[in-house]
Amino acid sequence: MFKKFRSWFQHEDAHIDIKFENQNAQINGHQFQLTRADTDDVDEMLRLEQSVYDGQTPWDRMAFLSELRKRELSLYLVLWDEQKLVAFIGCWFTKRESHITNIAVAPQYQGQGVGKYLMQFMIDMAISFDSQAMTLEVRTTNVIAKGLYHKLGFEDGPVKRGYYVMDHSDAMEMRKALNEILPVEERNQ
């Protein structure tokens, strides 16, 4: 996965300037704070992963730190309920394709629209950068996540056998075409 995007980024004609200002997020009547992730958030992100993945951390500290340094190519956001980290998401952006690298929602906040909100936020950003498609990988056994992605318009792709390093489980590629979707400003007129 990383080789694929490294080669794309090296050949991109247009540089994408990723700016993000911290903001409030209203999700199903609840107020959250959406901020850009930084190195100070990594411990909380690892704890959140452990709560989602039965004590495991699919991404280790070095993976998060490496990704957070790539501010010109990617955006990692954390969602807070007061002082509690409840979710995070990461995405790489290019004009050709944007890619969700990681998303996690605390178990007690799942099923409340948090994941959908974060995914739609990144989809809208990708559209604003004129990305042609959004992609991601999902565990083939993660029925709930696949259901959300289908509702957001993602289509199933090929299965990657033994994709996840931690447990060698399989992943399915999913893709959503963006070139036919109007930018947010035009959809809201």
Side-chain angles (χ1 to χ4, degrees):
M1 173 177 72
F2 292 111
K3 283 184 197 176
K4 170 182 164 182
F5 279 89
R6 185 175 31 240
S7 70
W8 285 10
F9 288 134
Q10 291 170 349
H11 295 98
E12 277 295 309
D13 296 329
H15 175 72
I16 294 176
D17 188 18
I18 301 174
K19 293 187 182 349
F20 177 81
E21 292 188 25
N22 295 345
Q23 55 193 267
N24 291 324
Q26 187 79 17
I27 304 171
N28 288 333
H30 192 86
Q31 189 77 17
F32 296 92
Q33 298 77 44
L34 187 62
T35 64
R36 190 171 199 155
D38 64 33
T39 56
D40 292 339
D41 298 321
V42 171
D43 288 337
E44 289 295 320
M45 294 167 82
L46 288 166
R47 276 193 280 280
L48 178 57
E49 272 196 332
Q50 287 177 323
S51 73
V52 172
Y53 295 103
D54 298 321
Q56 302 295 311
T57 55
W59 280 34
D60 63 17
R61 175 179 303 286
M62 292 309 297
F64 277 117
L65 292 173
S66 174
E67 286 298 300
L68 291 176
R69 286 187 199 107
K70 300 172 188 170
R71 295 176 69 93
E72 73 282 358
L73 306 174
S74 64
L75 179 63
Y76 283 77
L77 300 176
V78 287
L79 187 72
W80 300 92
D81 185 357
E82 309 260 337
Q83 300 298 314
K84 180 180 181 175
L85 178 68
V86 299
F88 65 81
I89 189 169
C91 189
W92 293 334
F93 297 96
T94 72
K95 296 258 183 212
R96 180 188 302 176
E97 182 177 305
S98 294
H99 182 79
I100 299 293
T101 57
N102 201 337
I103 181 170
V105 178
Q108 60 270 39
Y109 288 85
Q110 291 177 7
Q112 299 177 28
V114 170
K116 180 181 179 185
Y117 177 90
L118 292 173
M119 286 293 298
Q120 190 62 57
F121 190 94
M122 290 302 194
I123 290 167
D124 290 341
M125 286 203 71
I127 291 168
S128 75
F129 295 141
D130 295 325
S131 285
Q132 299 299 300
M134 175 73 77
T135 61
L136 56 83
E137 286 91 16
V138 61
R139 288 178 192 278
T140 55
T141 57
N142 193 338
V143 176
I144 294 171
K146 288 190 298 186
L148 169 62
Y149 303 147
H150 286 140
K151 285 179 187 173
L152 290 168
F154 284 81
E155 296 179 358
D156 294 350
V159 171
K160 297 177 176 181
R161 302 279 176 221
Y163 178 80
Y164 292 101
V165 175
M166 182 177 69
D167 61 2
H168 305 290
S169 61
D170 299 338
M172 181 177 18
E173 280 186 33
M174 298 188 81
R175 179 180 186 82
K176 176 182 177 71
L178 301 178
N179 52 351
E180 297 173 1
I181 301 173
L182 292 173
V184 176
E185 313 80 65
E186 293 177 37
R187 281 187 273 154
N188 293 335
Q189 291 180 357

